[in-house]
Amino acid sequence: MNCLEFKKHISLYLELKENNEDTIAFDTHLTKCQFCQQEVNKYLELDKKLKEINDISPVRNYKEHFWKALEYKEAFDRIKIKKRAYYGLAAALVIVVSFIFLMKFYLIEYKPSAQDIKDEELLIQVNEILSSPVISSNSALAITEEELNLLDSKDKEGYIKINKNIEIKEVNYV
Amino acid sequence: MNSITDEMIMLEIKNGKKEYFNIILERYYKMILNYAYRVLGKKEDAEEVSQEIFLRLYFSVRNYKPVSSFRTFLFFIAHRECIRFSKKRKKFIPILNPNLYKYSDTPSSIYEVRRGEELIKKAILKLKPKYRSALILRAYFGLGYEEISKIINCSLGDTKNYIFRSKRKLISILNPNSRGAL
C-alpha cells in the first residue's frame, strides 16, 4: 500500500480500527510512513478533543417544568381548537349565505309582475315606432303634393319607388 | 421500575398512564439536553429545545409503534427539533478562524480546558446541521452508523461519509495549517 491508497481509504482504516477489525495492510504502511502516521494521529486527537465538551446538567426541577409546560401547551391547544372551530363555523355561515343569495338572484326563475309586463309591451311598441321608416299619409310629417312637385323628376321617381316597396303600417301613437 | 423497557413504558403511556413519562424523563432528559447543547451550542437554547423535544415525544405517544428502538425514535425527534430550532433562530454562529479567538494571557489550566472546549464547540457549530448531528451522535453517544442513518434519514453510506467529512472539516478548522493535507 502506498500513501495515495492509504489517504483514499483512511476513513475505512479508522472504521476498522474502531471495530477492532483486521488492519494489517494499513498498519504495515503506517510503520513505514511517518506522514500517514501524522494524518492518522490528527483524527485520533480530534476524537480526544471532541470529548472535551463537558456535559451540562438539567435544572433541578426539570420534571416540574416539563409538566407545567405540558399543561400550558394543552390549554393553548384547546384554545386553538376552539378558535379554529369558530373560524370554521363563520366560514360555513358565509358560504351558506352566499349560496342562498346566488340561488335567489340567479338560479331561481325570475317572475315579472303585471306592471312589468305592461312596461315591457309599451317598450316594444315604442321600439317599433322608432324603427319604422314609414310615415303615415295622415301625418303632418308626410310629404305634400306641392313638395312632391318641387322635387326633381329623378328624386320623384325614387320617392314613389320607395313608397311602393315599403309596406305601409297603421301606427297607433300612444 | 428499572427493569421495564422504554418501549413498554411508551405503551403504558399510550394506555393512559401518564405518570410513566417521568421514567422517560429520568432516563433520557440529560442525554437529550446534552445532545441539543452540542448541536446548538448554547445551554439556554438546549434547555428550551429539550423541553420541546419531550413535549413532542409526549404527543407522539398516540402514534407510537415499537418498530425501531426507542432511543432511535427519540433521537429522530430530537434531530428534527434541533434543525427546526436552528432554522427558526438562524443561528449558525459564524467564525472565520477559531485560532484568532482572543484570550487573556493569564496561564491557567482551567482556562485552557475552557478554551479547548470553546474552540471545539465553535468548530462543531460551523458544520452543516446534518453533519453535526451525525458526528455528535457517533462521537458523544456512540450510536451505530445504521441507527444514525435512521435518525438523520439518509443512507448508510451517506452517514459514514457525513461523519468522516465532518471530522476532516473539524481538523482543517482546528489546525488551519494542515488544510489541504488530505
Side-chain angles (χ1 to χ4, degrees):
Chain A
M1 186 178 279
N2 56 30
C3 287
L4 209 67
E5 279 176 322
F6 189 88
K7 277 178 200 170
K8 210 174 164 184
H9 300 293
I10 193 162
S11 62
L12 175 68
Y13 169 70
L14 294 165
E15 197 189 322
L16 289 171
K17 201 151 194 202
E18 255 181 18
N19 301 330
N20 294 321
E21 286 179 42
D22 184 24
T23 54
I24 295 171
F26 291 97
D27 291 332
T28 324
H29 175 74
L30 276 181
T31 50
K32 292 174 199 165
C33 180
Q34 211 178 344
F35 178 74
C36 289
Q37 182 66 57
Q38 277 176 0
E39 287 306 317
V40 170
N41 285 343
K42 279 178 193 168
Y43 283 90
L44 299 176
E45 264 176 48
L46 178 74
D47 286 340
K48 274 185 202 168
K49 276 184 184 174
L50 283 171
K51 299 272 187 288
E52 280 178 16
I53 302 178
N54 292 318
D55 276 357
I56 54 168
S57 297
V59 285
R60 205 183 299 163
N61 47 355
Y62 71 93
K63 278 191 210 167
E64 284 167 33
H65 275 281
F66 170 78
W67 289 110
K68 216 165 212 177
L70 181 70
E71 211 174 284
Y72 283 132
K73 179 112 180 146
E74 279 177 336
F76 181 71
D77 284 351
R78 271 199 297 274
I79 293 168
K80 225 161 100 178
I81 289 165
K82 262 187 191 175
K83 251 187 181 179
R84 272 186 197 168
Y86 286 139
Y87 285 140
L89 273 174
L93 203 69
V94 168
I95 290 166
V96 168
V97 168
S98 313
F99 183 72
I100 291 168
F101 182 81
L102 280 169
M103 286 286 283
K104 196 176 177 186
F105 287 93
Y106 294 100
L107 303 176
I108 296 173
E109 205 182 329
Y110 176 63
K111 285 177 185 170
S113 63
Q115 185 60 41
D116 286 344
I117 294 165
K118 227 178 179 181
D119 289 347
E120 191 73 23
E121 281 171 0
L122 190 64
L123 197 68
I124 291 165
Q125 278 184 5
V126 170
N127 276 335
E128 270 180 11
I129 292 161
L130 292 174
S131 63
S132 171
V134 178
I135 299 165
S136 170
S137 55
N138 300 329
S139 169
L141 294 169
I143 203 158
T144 60
E145 277 298 320
E146 284 169 19
E147 284 167 339
L148 196 65
N149 290 333
L150 288 171
L151 293 169
D152 290 340
S153 57
K154 277 185 184 175
D155 293 337
K156 208 188 276 177
E157 273 173 27
Y159 178 76
I160 291 161
K161 212 175 178 182
I162 292 164
N163 262 3
K164 272 182 185 173
N165 291 337
I166 297 169
E167 196 188 329
I168 298 168
K169 291 177 186 172
E170 278 299 319
V171 180
N172 297 319
Y173 291 100
V174 182
Chain B
M1 279 290 188
N2 282 337
S3 59
I4 190 166
T5 64
D6 302 326
E7 288 78 12
M8 281 162 73
I9 292 171
M10 287 298 277
L11 293 174
E12 289 292 347
I13 300 164
K14 201 175 178 179
N15 293 333
K17 290 178 182 171
K18 285 183 182 182
E19 64 278 7
Y20 273 70
F21 203 78
N22 278 323
I23 307 170
I24 295 284
L25 287 173
E26 276 162 26
R27 286 185 189 174
Y28 292 102
Y29 196 88
K30 197 180 174 187
M31 189 190 268
I32 292 298
L33 179 74
N34 279 291
Y35 167 76
Y37 174 58
R38 283 169 174 93
V39 172
L40 302 169
K42 267 193 167 185
K43 195 181 173 185
E44 301 78 48
D45 290 348
E47 276 169 355
E48 193 182 328
V49 169
S50 4
Q51 190 162 290
E52 196 59 39
I53 290 164
F54 280 95
L55 283 173
R56 285 208 180 253
L57 176 71
Y58 184 85
F59 288 116
S60 64
V61 164
R62 274 173 290 181
N63 308 319
Y64 177 74
K65 283 172 192 165
V67 279
S68 60
S69 85
F70 172 75
R71 196 172 62 163
T72 311
F73 180 66
L74 179 59
F75 273 115
F76 178 74
I77 296 174
H79 167 68
R80 285 179 62 177
E81 202 55 40
C82 285
I83 286 187
R84 199 184 64 82
F85 187 84
S86 305
K87 278 183 186 167
K88 202 169 84 180
R89 289 273 176 103
K90 288 182 181 169
K91 253 188 184 173
F92 297 118
I93 301 162
I95 45 162
L96 296 169
N97 186 349
N99 286 6
L100 297 175
Y101 203 76
K102 301 274 183 202
Y103 297 101
S104 79
D105 295 330
T106 324
S108 159
S109 59
I110 299 166
Y111 201 83
E112 281 303 309
V113 170
R114 281 261 172 93
R115 184 188 151 184
E117 190 182 330
E118 279 300 307
L119 283 177
I120 194 79
K121 244 167 69 181
K122 292 206 168 189
I124 290 171
L125 285 174
K126 279 198 88 180
L127 301 172
K128 284 180 188 171
K130 224 171 191 180
Y131 284 57
R132 205 187 302 168
S133 276
L135 179 76
I136 289 166
L137 290 169
R138 180 74 183 162
Y140 294 102
F141 300 99
L143 264 63
Y145 289 115
E146 206 160 316
E147 205 172 351
I148 298 171
S149 71
K150 277 181 194 168
I151 292 166
I152 62 170
N153 201 18
C154 61
S155 71
L156 189 65
D158 280 347
T159 308
K160 285 180 181 178
N161 207 10
Y162 285 170
I163 293 168
F164 181 67
R165 280 191 191 176
S166 309
K167 283 185 177 178
R168 201 163 61 181
K169 174 115 183 167
L170 285 183
I171 288 172
S172 69
I173 293 171
L174 296 166
N175 314 292
N177 300 332
S178 76
R179 195 172 287 190
L182 271 174

mmCIF file of all heavy atoms in Angstrom, chain B residues 21 26 29 42 57 80-81 84 90 101 110 122 128 135 173:
data_model
loop_
_atom_site.group_PDB
_atom_site.id
_atom_site.type_symbol
_atom_site.label_atom_id
_atom_site.label_comp_id
_atom_site.label_asym_id
_atom_site.label_seq_id
_atom_site.Cartn_x
_atom_site.Cartn_y
_atom_site.Cartn_z
ATOM 1 N N PHE B 21 -44.331 8.696 32.189
ATOM 2 C CA PHE B 21 -43.461 9.582 31.402
ATOM 3 C C PHE B 21 -42.308 10.116 32.252
ATOM 4 O O PHE B 21 -41.258 10.463 31.729
ATOM 5 C CB PHE B 21 -44.276 10.744 30.820
ATOM 6 C CG PHE B 21 -43.635 11.346 29.598
ATOM 7 C CD1 PHE B 21 -43.728 10.737 28.364
ATOM 8 C CD2 PHE B 21 -42.902 12.512 29.688
ATOM 9 C CE1 PHE B 21 -43.116 11.276 27.244
ATOM 10 C CE2 PHE B 21 -42.279 13.061 28.578
ATOM 11 C CZ PHE B 21 -42.389 12.437 27.349
ATOM 12 N N GLU B 26 -36.492 10.809 33.429
ATOM 13 C CA GLU B 26 -35.314 10.469 34.256
ATOM 14 C C GLU B 26 -34.218 9.805 33.418
ATOM 15 O O GLU B 26 -33.042 10.085 33.593
ATOM 16 C CB GLU B 26 -35.727 9.509 35.383
ATOM 17 C CG GLU B 26 -36.289 10.225 36.590
ATOM 18 C CD GLU B 26 -37.068 9.292 37.488
ATOM 19 O OE1 GLU B 26 -36.804 8.074 37.489
ATOM 20 O OE2 GLU B 26 -37.978 9.788 38.192
ATOM 21 N N TYR B 29 -33.637 12.673 29.795
ATOM 22 C CA TYR B 29 -33.624 14.143 29.741
ATOM 23 C C TYR B 29 -32.207 14.689 29.620
ATOM 24 O O TYR B 29 -31.926 15.542 28.775
ATOM 25 C CB TYR B 29 -34.342 14.742 30.957
ATOM 26 C CG TYR B 29 -34.682 16.199 30.732
ATOM 27 C CD1 TYR B 29 -35.872 16.560 30.125
ATOM 28 C CD2 TYR B 29 -33.799 17.209 31.109
ATOM 29 C CE1 TYR B 29 -36.186 17.886 29.892
ATOM 30 C CE2 TYR B 29 -34.105 18.544 30.874
ATOM 31 C CZ TYR B 29 -35.298 18.865 30.273
ATOM 32 O OH TYR B 29 -35.608 20.183 30.027
ATOM 33 N N LYS B 42 -25.581 26.362 22.825
ATOM 34 C CA LYS B 42 -25.938 27.243 23.947
ATOM 35 C C LYS B 42 -26.816 26.492 24.932
ATOM 36 O O LYS B 42 -27.769 25.807 24.518
ATOM 37 C CB LYS B 42 -26.715 28.455 23.425
ATOM 38 C CG LYS B 42 -25.868 29.651 23.119
ATOM 39 C CD LYS B 42 -26.753 30.856 22.927
ATOM 40 C CE LYS B 42 -25.935 32.124 22.931
ATOM 41 N NZ LYS B 42 -26.777 33.315 22.861
ATOM 42 N N LEU B 57 -42.495 14.306 22.004
ATOM 43 C CA LEU B 57 -42.492 12.873 22.284
ATOM 44 C C LEU B 57 -43.793 12.489 22.981
ATOM 45 O O LEU B 57 -44.424 11.488 22.633
ATOM 46 C CB LEU B 57 -41.281 12.514 23.152
ATOM 47 C CG LEU B 57 -41.199 11.068 23.604
ATOM 48 C CD1 LEU B 57 -40.852 10.172 22.426
ATOM 49 C CD2 LEU B 57 -40.158 10.881 24.696
ATOM 50 N N ARG B 80 -34.757 16.364 14.432
ATOM 51 C CA ARG B 80 -35.672 17.230 13.657
ATOM 52 C C ARG B 80 -35.960 18.524 14.396
ATOM 53 O O ARG B 80 -36.013 19.601 13.802
ATOM 54 C CB ARG B 80 -36.975 16.485 13.368
ATOM 55 C CG ARG B 80 -36.777 15.444 12.294
ATOM 56 C CD ARG B 80 -38.023 14.697 12.014
ATOM 57 N NE ARG B 80 -39.076 15.572 11.516
ATOM 58 C CZ ARG B 80 -40.270 15.143 11.143
ATOM 59 N NH1 ARG B 80 -40.548 13.882 11.195
ATOM 60 N NH2 ARG B 80 -41.184 15.966 10.712
ATOM 61 N N GLU B 81 -36.127 18.396 15.701
ATOM 62 C CA GLU B 81 -36.456 19.580 16.505
ATOM 63 C C GLU B 81 -35.278 20.564 16.533
ATOM 64 O O GLU B 81 -35.468 21.777 16.459
ATOM 65 C CB GLU B 81 -36.831 19.121 17.917
ATOM 66 C CG GLU B 81 -37.672 20.092 18.687
ATOM 67 C CD GLU B 81 -38.938 20.499 17.978
ATOM 68 O OE1 GLU B 81 -39.595 19.646 17.355
ATOM 69 O OE2 GLU B 81 -39.257 21.698 18.010
ATOM 70 N N ARG B 84 -35.117 22.301 13.205
ATOM 71 C CA ARG B 84 -36.216 23.278 13.140
ATOM 72 C C ARG B 84 -35.869 24.525 13.938
ATOM 73 O O ARG B 84 -36.056 25.647 13.491
ATOM 74 C CB ARG B 84 -37.506 22.635 13.679
ATOM 75 C CG ARG B 84 -38.775 23.337 13.266
ATOM 76 C CD ARG B 84 -39.965 22.675 13.934
ATOM 77 N NE ARG B 84 -39.908 22.801 15.374
ATOM 78 C CZ ARG B 84 -40.307 23.875 16.046
ATOM 79 N NH1 ARG B 84 -40.791 24.912 15.417
ATOM 80 N NH2 ARG B 84 -40.213 23.924 17.361
ATOM 81 N N LYS B 90 -31.995 30.918 13.010
ATOM 82 C CA LYS B 90 -30.922 31.186 12.033
ATOM 83 C C LYS B 90 -29.624 31.488 12.752
ATOM 84 O O LYS B 90 -28.956 32.491 12.551
ATOM 85 C CB LYS B 90 -31.318 32.354 11.122
ATOM 86 C CG LYS B 90 -32.384 31.974 10.161
ATOM 87 C CD LYS B 90 -32.717 33.096 9.248
ATOM 88 C CE LYS B 90 -33.826 32.635 8.324
ATOM 89 N NZ LYS B 90 -34.405 33.711 7.566
ATOM 90 N N TYR B 101 -9.366 33.619 17.972
ATOM 91 C CA TYR B 101 -10.150 33.889 19.179
ATOM 92 C C TYR B 101 -9.254 34.539 20.231
ATOM 93 O O TYR B 101 -8.161 34.063 20.499
ATOM 94 C CB TYR B 101 -10.682 32.543 19.683
ATOM 95 C CG TYR B 101 -11.903 32.624 20.541
ATOM 96 C CD1 TYR B 101 -13.146 32.855 19.995
ATOM 97 C CD2 TYR B 101 -11.805 32.459 21.911
ATOM 98 C CE1 TYR B 101 -14.278 32.918 20.785
ATOM 99 C CE2 TYR B 101 -12.920 32.516 22.710
ATOM 100 C CZ TYR B 101 -14.152 32.739 22.149
ATOM 101 O OH TYR B 101 -15.259 32.793 22.935
ATOM 102 N N ILE B 110 -7.406 25.545 34.036
ATOM 103 C CA ILE B 110 -8.867 25.503 33.855
ATOM 104 C C ILE B 110 -9.242 26.301 32.610
ATOM 105 O O ILE B 110 -10.067 25.893 31.800
ATOM 106 C CB ILE B 110 -9.589 26.091 35.101
ATOM 107 C CG1 ILE B 110 -9.228 25.249 36.333
ATOM 108 C CG2 ILE B 110 -11.099 26.131 34.912
ATOM 109 C CD1 ILE B 110 -9.570 25.881 37.647
ATOM 110 N N LYS B 122 -17.236 25.718 18.931
ATOM 111 C CA LYS B 122 -17.452 26.650 17.812
ATOM 112 C C LYS B 122 -17.146 25.989 16.474
ATOM 113 O O LYS B 122 -17.798 26.285 15.471
ATOM 114 C CB LYS B 122 -16.602 27.900 18.007
ATOM 115 C CG LYS B 122 -17.099 28.713 19.183
ATOM 116 C CD LYS B 122 -16.751 30.160 19.070
ATOM 117 C CE LYS B 122 -17.523 30.937 20.117
ATOM 118 N NZ LYS B 122 -17.390 32.369 19.942
ATOM 119 N N LYS B 128 -22.521 21.705 8.863
ATOM 120 C CA LYS B 128 -23.938 21.724 8.474
ATOM 121 C C LYS B 128 -24.724 20.900 9.494
ATOM 122 O O LYS B 128 -24.183 19.919 10.028
ATOM 123 C CB LYS B 128 -24.113 21.114 7.086
ATOM 124 C CG LYS B 128 -23.679 22.021 5.973
ATOM 125 C CD LYS B 128 -23.898 21.326 4.657
ATOM 126 C CE LYS B 128 -23.282 22.128 3.531
ATOM 127 N NZ LYS B 128 -23.289 21.390 2.276
ATOM 128 N N LEU B 135 -22.174 13.485 13.475
ATOM 129 C CA LEU B 135 -20.914 13.415 14.227
ATOM 130 C C LEU B 135 -21.160 13.330 15.731
ATOM 131 O O LEU B 135 -20.545 12.507 16.426
ATOM 132 C CB LEU B 135 -20.060 14.657 13.910
ATOM 133 C CG LEU B 135 -18.735 14.719 14.658
ATOM 134 C CD1 LEU B 135 -17.735 13.760 14.034
ATOM 135 C CD2 LEU B 135 -18.163 16.122 14.644
ATOM 136 N N ILE B 173 -10.415 23.060 10.488
ATOM 137 C CA ILE B 173 -10.758 24.275 11.246
ATOM 138 C C ILE B 173 -9.808 24.435 12.441
ATOM 139 O O ILE B 173 -9.298 25.518 12.707
ATOM 140 C CB ILE B 173 -12.226 24.236 11.731
ATOM 141 C CG1 ILE B 173 -13.179 24.300 10.543
ATOM 142 C CG2 ILE B 173 -12.522 25.386 12.690
ATOM 143 C CD1 ILE B 173 -14.647 24.060 10.896
#
